[in-house]
Amino acid sequence: IAGGRLIAETDREQLTPDHRFKTRAEMAVLFADVPEALASTVEIAERCAFRPLTRKPILPRFTVGAGTNAADAANEEAAELQRQAEEGLANRLAVHGLSQGTSEEDYRARLNFELDVITRMNYAGYFLIVSDFIKHAKSQGIPVGPGRGSGAGSLVAYALTITDLDPIRFGLLFERFLNPERVSMPDFDIDFCQDRRGEVIEYVQKRYGRDQVAQIITFGTLQARGVLRDVGRVLQMPYGQVDKLTKLVPQNPAAPVSLKQAIDGEPKLQAFRDEDPVVARAFDIAQRLEGLTRHASTHAAGIVIGDRPLSELVPMYRDPKSDMPVTQFNMKWVEPAGLVKFDFLGLKTLTVLDVAVKLLKQRGKEVDLATLPLDDAPSYQMLARGDVVGVFQVESQGMRRALVDMRPDRFEDIIALVALYRPGPMANIPTYCARKHGDEEPEYLHPLLEPILKETFGVIIYQEQVMQIAQVMAGYSLGDADLLRRAMGKKIRAEMEKQRAVFVTGSVKNGVPKGQAETIFELLAKFADYGFNKSHAAAYALVSYQTA
């Protein structure tokens, strides 16, 4: 399979009975004339010693004066981050203005709080690096997404143009992204225009050095269908027959079925096996190969950037198809080795939006996506009719039905739909629609919850709402509320019991009856599974709205 040859070919590399580890006694007989060869193998073995070390994340230095010591560099980066963030925030407010009911002071306070956490956790460099390559992309006219994942909850990220949503305006929480109570690497996944993503990666290579930037390896394994195709090919079975057999093997990436399970569960496959000895042989070989690593390729989006040549930290691999170095550790292992991963994703919709803007320009219509007003009635009417072929995220049959039922007329509705349209939470769509259209009264279990759940008519949709409820009702800090959310999501019993006591005690202090506090805790626990990250939903809703 690996050599692309057929079993029937006789001139291929073949295994002989000698392809095995011979015993020491056999080797002594074979090398009787050069006994020193045996001694050398032991010496070589004794010289080899390697132990992979785990390291804390090592960030490349953003500042130019890399000669300075670590503490000075960290201070320089912190000062640079503060300068860029303050300047950036002023620019943002000049263009977009303040969110309703807030003052410039609110923005300043939030910015300072975030900067404090970021510098305390030593991530100033990380933010500067991400901001640097995004600014470069934007200066080259390469479309960049408005953000994705929890990063959109950061005002610093908004000020540095890493994200394009004002987190204060949409009620997005920084603690959902970087939790001051729990140290973990921040993770910005960035969407770029699919056609020009490579240019951004090239820039990063130039900026940090070709030997300090690499892609991440992934290993393709032989899955039930693929292994059957491969084996069929080398046994020269007719293509039509192999195709018929593989189609009988169920394919479900979420719950992969092994070849043995497929054969046991499908009488037709058993019949083919019993009638044809060639099929029986193919099944037998395929089952023994299944699960082996078939080939190495590179991870679609992940890039690692180091502060020194990467070969000093991890083993490297060269992919014949690309001129970029590749780490020989996969995603799961590059991080413990100290490398920080950056995701450069290609998003076709950004390319589509870019082309649309350029075509409009040719007709003399200037459109600036960044400053589109979010209250364009004709766009919402189009969404409400379900005319959404080609509109990001809402094209599927089910989504169209949900749009027609919901009749969205404000940006918050699209955010809610992006978050609700998943197995589980979907059950809440009818409730949301009924309350939106006034067929049903919104229900708030306690007056304290109303300001948090008003936007979603009393339906808990976002993880951020779970966090805010814990904050307002039980006096949690948002950092602790994030830990509560994680514990609920993971369903760790002991941790849940501990949290329940804290939650109920805190709520009683705020004048909530004990029974009611317990009911609300139960409800939150149920929703923590369903809850969706509002930062991600809002960022993707923005792309949907722009496409519309």
Side-chain angles (χ1 to χ4, degrees):
I1 290 173
R5 308 296 297 264
L6 303 168
I7 295 276
E9 294 173 343
T10 48
D11 63 340
R12 62 191 167 84
E13 263 185 47
Q14 295 203 9
L15 300 186
T16 66
D18 278 333
H19 263 95
R20 60 190 172 83
F21 282 116
K22 294 188 166 70
T23 63
R24 191 174 176 154
E26 286 173 303
M27 294 300 269
V29 172
L30 281 170
F31 285 90
D33 53 338
V34 271
E36 60 272 24
L38 291 178
S40 306
T41 58
V42 177
E43 189 188 328
I44 291 170
E46 283 176 345
R47 284 189 194 182
C48 296
F50 174 70
R51 227 169 93 225
L53 299 170
T54 56
R55 291 186 173 87
K56 287 206 166 76
I58 301 170
L59 280 163
R61 288 271 168 85
F62 176 76
T63 42
V64 185
T68 51
N69 67 24
D72 290 347
N75 290 336
E76 255 174 67
E77 286 180 342
E80 178 61 17
L81 179 70
Q82 179 140 14
R83 189 188 66 75
Q84 288 196 18
E86 284 173 359
E87 237 170 70
L89 182 64
N91 291 341
R92 286 292 202 190
L93 293 179
V95 177
H96 298 282
L98 294 165
S99 166
Q100 226 177 342
T102 61
S103 65
E104 210 164 303
E105 206 25 64
D106 298 333
Y107 278 84
R108 286 272 130 68
R110 166 90 172 240
L111 193 74
N112 291 332
F113 163 70
E114 289 191 17
L115 285 169
D116 180 50
V117 173
I118 292 165
T119 43
R120 223 180 39 233
M121 293 168 99
N122 279 333
Y123 295 145
Y126 179 82
F127 275 77
L128 289 167
I129 290 161
V130 176
S131 164
D132 177 61
F133 63 69
I134 287 185
K135 283 175 178 164
H136 170 78
K138 289 180 176 172
S139 72
Q140 297 301 305
I142 300 170
V144 184
R148 57 176 293 144
S150 51
S154 162
L155 187 66
V156 171
Y158 176 62
L160 295 175
T161 72
I162 295 174
T163 57
D164 284 323
L165 282 136
D166 176 347
I168 291 183
R169 185 171 179 181
F170 297 110
L172 310 178
L173 303 180
F174 177 68
E175 287 82 350
R176 173 65 187 79
F177 171 54
L178 260 195
N179 186 338
E181 331 276 329
R182 174 181 174 276
V183 178
S184 64
M185 260 325 275
D187 188 13
F188 283 117
D189 299 339
I190 293 112
D191 290 314
F192 292 101
C193 149
Q194 208 162 359
D195 301 345
R196 300 183 62 190
R197 195 182 125 237
E199 294 175 43
V200 189
I201 295 172
E202 252 165 61
Y203 167 76
V204 172
Q205 280 180 296
K206 279 201 197 85
R207 173 90 170 65
Y208 298 100
R210 290 190 78 82
D211 54 353
Q212 292 181 202
V213 178
Q215 285 178 291
I216 302 168
I217 204 164
T218 51
F219 297 105
T221 54
L222 289 160
Q223 303 285 341
R225 278 186 165 190
V227 72
L228 208 49
R229 282 218 165 85
D230 279 336
V231 170
R233 194 190 73 237
V234 300
L235 292 178
Q236 287 173 288
M237 290 162 66
Y239 179 77
Q241 183 188 26
V242 176
D243 198 49
K244 204 185 291 172
L245 292 171
T246 45
K247 288 211 167 98
L248 288 169
V249 176
Q251 187 162 22
N252 175 10
V257 173
S258 75
L259 197 53
K260 184 178 181 326
Q261 291 168 317
I263 297 168
D264 291 347
E266 177 53 78
K268 285 186 190 155
L269 285 173
Q270 296 159 16
F272 283 125
R273 178 190 60 196
D274 301 340
E275 286 157 24
D276 186 342
V278 181
V279 173
R281 183 180 178 210
F283 280 179
D284 180 46
I285 296 173
Q287 282 182 60
R288 283 188 270 168
L289 297 180
E290 191 178 8
L292 290 178
T293 303
R294 183 183 190 277
H295 58 265
S297 60
T298 54
H299 183 260
I303 301 278
V304 288
I305 307 176
D307 69 337
R308 61 196 82 176
L310 294 174
S311 53
E312 294 175 21
L313 296 169
V314 291
M316 303 300 287
Y317 164 78
R318 187 164 274 298
D319 178 6
K321 290 196 290 290
S322 105
D323 65 337
M324 212 174 149
V326 181
T327 65
Q328 224 175 118
F329 285 169
N330 68 1
M331 283 242 317
K332 193 174 148 204
W333 298 101
V334 283
E335 293 198 332
L339 292 176
V340 177
K341 180 170 108 320
F342 297 83
D343 276 344
F344 292 70
L345 302 150
L347 186 60
K348 200 170 80 224
T349 308
L350 297 177
T351 318
V352 173
L353 283 167
D354 188 46
V355 171
V357 169
K358 284 181 178 148
L359 290 172
L360 282 168
K361 200 171 180 169
Q362 287 173 13
R363 297 195 198 164
K365 284 200 171 59
E366 291 277 346
V367 173
D368 177 19
L369 291 175
T371 54
L372 282 182
L374 291 181
D375 54 3
D376 182 59
S379 302
Y380 290 111
Q381 286 154 11
M382 180 188 86
L383 289 169
R385 289 196 302 272
D387 282 347
V388 285
V389 175
V391 179
F392 182 62
Q393 291 261 304
V394 294
E395 289 191 82
S396 69
Q397 205 58 49
M399 261 297 198
R400 283 172 58 185
R401 265 201 307 277
L403 276 171
V404 173
D405 290 343
M406 187 183 276
R407 305 196 292 283
D409 53 10
R410 53 181 193 142
F411 187 61
E412 283 72 13
D413 290 336
I414 307 178
I415 304 181
L417 190 60
V418 171
L420 281 170
Y421 195 77
R422 288 167 308 120
M426 280 174 89
N428 291 316
I429 295 181
T431 312
Y432 182 96
C433 295
R435 292 179 181 182
K436 178 176 166 58
H437 302 314
D439 305 336
E440 191 182 298
E441 279 302 302
E443 208 178 292
Y444 306 104
L445 284 174
H446 191 277
L448 281 174
L449 303 187
E450 187 169 338
I452 300 168
L453 299 177
K454 201 177 169 71
E455 179 189 310
T456 55
F457 309 105
V459 182
I460 301 175
I461 299 180
Y462 311 118
Q463 294 167 347
E464 283 83 343
Q465 288 174 318
V466 172
M467 289 164 64
Q468 283 167 315
I469 290 170
Q471 179 192 26
V472 168
M473 199 157 182
Y476 276 71
S477 74
L478 282 173
D480 283 334
D482 183 56
L483 299 179
L484 167 77
R485 175 192 68 75
R486 285 166 199 266
M488 286 178 162
K490 293 201 179 100
K491 297 254 177 288
I492 310 165
R493 272 210 88 130
E495 182 61 24
M496 290 279 281
E497 287 314 311
K498 209 164 71 198
Q499 291 279 6
R500 178 197 305 268
V502 177
F503 186 89
V504 174
T505 320
S507 303
V508 171
K509 263 195 202 132
N510 284 333
V512 182
K514 187 166 181 230
Q516 199 175 18
E518 291 192 334
T519 314
I520 291 171
F521 185 86
E522 283 306 316
L523 187 77
L524 291 183
K526 191 182 121 205
F527 271 97
D529 263 7
Y530 284 178
F532 195 72
N533 176 343
K534 187 178 182 187
S535 294
H536 182 70
Y540 265 28
L542 186 60
V543 181
S544 300
Y545 175 79
Q546 290 175 348
T547 326

PDB file of all heavy atoms in Angstrom, residues 61 63-74 76:
ATOM      1  N   ARG A  61       9.717  36.307  21.271  1.00  0.00           N
ATOM      2  CA  ARG A  61       9.807  37.692  21.733  1.00  0.00           C
ATOM      3  C   ARG A  61       9.197  38.575  20.662  1.00  0.00           C
ATOM      4  O   ARG A  61       9.569  38.482  19.500  1.00  0.00           O
ATOM      5  CB  ARG A  61      11.280  38.099  21.894  1.00  0.00           C
ATOM      6  CG  ARG A  61      11.953  37.456  23.071  1.00  0.00           C
ATOM      7  CD  ARG A  61      11.758  38.330  24.321  1.00  0.00           C
ATOM      8  NE  ARG A  61      12.144  37.601  25.502  1.00  0.00           N
ATOM      9  CZ  ARG A  61      13.414  37.543  25.937  1.00  0.00           C
ATOM     10  NH1 ARG A  61      14.365  38.167  25.297  1.00  0.00           N
ATOM     11  NH2 ARG A  61      13.693  36.870  27.031  1.00  0.00           N
ATOM     12  N   THR A  63       9.255  42.015  21.054  1.00  0.00           N
ATOM     13  CA  THR A  63      10.052  43.247  21.016  1.00  0.00           C
ATOM     14  C   THR A  63      11.349  43.000  20.253  1.00  0.00           C
ATOM     15  O   THR A  63      11.888  41.895  20.245  1.00  0.00           O
ATOM     16  CB  THR A  63      10.380  43.715  22.440  1.00  0.00           C
ATOM     17  OG1 THR A  63      10.726  42.564  23.196  1.00  0.00           O
ATOM     18  CG2 THR A  63       9.201  44.392  23.074  1.00  0.00           C
ATOM     19  N   VAL A  64      11.863  44.068  19.666  1.00  0.00           N
ATOM     20  CA  VAL A  64      13.046  43.923  18.809  1.00  0.00           C
ATOM     21  C   VAL A  64      14.289  43.675  19.646  1.00  0.00           C
ATOM     22  O   VAL A  64      15.127  42.852  19.312  1.00  0.00           O
ATOM     23  CB  VAL A  64      13.227  45.181  17.926  1.00  0.00           C
ATOM     24  CG1 VAL A  64      14.369  44.973  16.946  1.00  0.00           C
ATOM     25  CG2 VAL A  64      11.926  45.464  17.171  1.00  0.00           C
ATOM     26  N   GLY A  65      14.404  44.366  20.800  1.00  0.00           N
ATOM     27  CA  GLY A  65      15.608  44.202  21.617  1.00  0.00           C
ATOM     28  C   GLY A  65      15.630  42.851  22.308  1.00  0.00           C
ATOM     29  O   GLY A  65      15.490  42.759  23.520  1.00  0.00           O
ATOM     30  N   ALA A  66      15.804  41.782  21.510  1.00  0.00           N
ATOM     31  CA  ALA A  66      15.711  40.438  22.091  1.00  0.00           C
ATOM     32  C   ALA A  66      16.933  40.126  22.955  1.00  0.00           C
ATOM     33  O   ALA A  66      16.971  39.121  23.646  1.00  0.00           O
ATOM     34  CB  ALA A  66      15.580  39.404  20.989  1.00  0.00           C
ATOM     35  N   GLY A  67      17.946  41.021  22.917  1.00  0.00           N
ATOM     36  CA  GLY A  67      19.139  40.774  23.714  1.00  0.00           C
ATOM     37  C   GLY A  67      18.897  40.964  25.203  1.00  0.00           C
ATOM     38  O   GLY A  67      19.607  40.422  26.033  1.00  0.00           O
ATOM     39  N   THR A  68      17.862  41.751  25.537  1.00  0.00           N
ATOM     40  CA  THR A  68      17.614  42.037  26.951  1.00  0.00           C
ATOM     41  C   THR A  68      17.182  40.781  27.697  1.00  0.00           C
ATOM     42  O   THR A  68      16.756  39.814  27.088  1.00  0.00           O
ATOM     43  CB  THR A  68      16.502  43.090  27.096  1.00  0.00           C
ATOM     44  OG1 THR A  68      15.397  42.649  26.319  1.00  0.00           O
ATOM     45  CG2 THR A  68      16.957  44.446  26.634  1.00  0.00           C
ATOM     46  N   ASN A  69      17.275  40.819  29.033  1.00  0.00           N
ATOM     47  CA  ASN A  69      16.884  39.631  29.785  1.00  0.00           C
ATOM     48  C   ASN A  69      15.357  39.504  29.826  1.00  0.00           C
ATOM     49  O   ASN A  69      14.634  40.433  29.461  1.00  0.00           O
ATOM     50  CB  ASN A  69      17.479  39.645  31.197  1.00  0.00           C
ATOM     51  CG  ASN A  69      16.888  40.758  32.046  1.00  0.00           C
ATOM     52  OD1 ASN A  69      15.783  41.235  31.794  1.00  0.00           O
ATOM     53  ND2 ASN A  69      17.635  41.166  33.053  1.00  0.00           N
ATOM     54  N   ALA A  70      14.900  38.361  30.299  1.00  0.00           N
ATOM     55  CA  ALA A  70      13.465  38.039  30.208  1.00  0.00           C
ATOM     56  C   ALA A  70      12.586  39.083  30.907  1.00  0.00           C
ATOM     57  O   ALA A  70      11.563  39.498  30.373  1.00  0.00           O
ATOM     58  CB  ALA A  70      13.215  36.657  30.786  1.00  0.00           C
ATOM     59  N   ALA A  71      13.017  39.530  32.102  1.00  0.00           N
ATOM     60  CA  ALA A  71      12.180  40.469  32.862  1.00  0.00           C
ATOM     61  C   ALA A  71      12.048  41.798  32.123  1.00  0.00           C
ATOM     62  O   ALA A  71      10.949  42.351  32.004  1.00  0.00           O
ATOM     63  CB  ALA A  71      12.778  40.693  34.242  1.00  0.00           C
ATOM     64  N   ASP A  72      13.171  42.288  31.574  1.00  0.00           N
ATOM     65  CA  ASP A  72      13.125  43.555  30.826  1.00  0.00           C
ATOM     66  C   ASP A  72      12.233  43.405  29.603  1.00  0.00           C
ATOM     67  O   ASP A  72      11.431  44.288  29.288  1.00  0.00           O
ATOM     68  CB  ASP A  72      14.537  43.974  30.358  1.00  0.00           C
ATOM     69  CG  ASP A  72      15.391  44.407  31.545  1.00  0.00           C
ATOM     70  OD1 ASP A  72      14.804  44.614  32.629  1.00  0.00           O
ATOM     71  OD2 ASP A  72      16.625  44.516  31.385  1.00  0.00           O
ATOM     72  N   ALA A  73      12.399  42.278  28.908  1.00  0.00           N
ATOM     73  CA  ALA A  73      11.600  42.048  27.699  1.00  0.00           C
ATOM     74  C   ALA A  73      10.117  42.043  28.054  1.00  0.00           C
ATOM     75  O   ALA A  73       9.296  42.634  27.362  1.00  0.00           O
ATOM     76  CB  ALA A  73      11.991  40.727  27.055  1.00  0.00           C
ATOM     77  N   ALA A  74       9.787  41.387  29.170  1.00  0.00           N
ATOM     78  CA  ALA A  74       8.376  41.307  29.586  1.00  0.00           C
ATOM     79  C   ALA A  74       7.840  42.705  29.883  1.00  0.00           C
ATOM     80  O   ALA A  74       6.718  43.049  29.481  1.00  0.00           O
ATOM     81  CB  ALA A  74       8.239  40.407  30.804  1.00  0.00           C
ATOM     82  N   GLU A  76       8.999  45.540  28.658  1.00  0.00           N
ATOM     83  CA  GLU A  76       8.907  46.261  27.384  1.00  0.00           C
ATOM     84  C   GLU A  76       7.617  45.879  26.664  1.00  0.00           C
ATOM     85  O   GLU A  76       6.907  46.722  26.139  1.00  0.00           O
ATOM     86  CB  GLU A  76      10.086  45.858  26.484  1.00  0.00           C
ATOM     87  CG  GLU A  76      11.166  46.908  26.389  1.00  0.00           C
ATOM     88  CD  GLU A  76      12.350  46.365  25.590  1.00  0.00           C
ATOM     89  OE1 GLU A  76      12.196  46.121  24.371  1.00  0.00           O
ATOM     90  OE2 GLU A  76      13.429  46.164  26.189  1.00  0.00           O
TER      91      GLU A  76
END
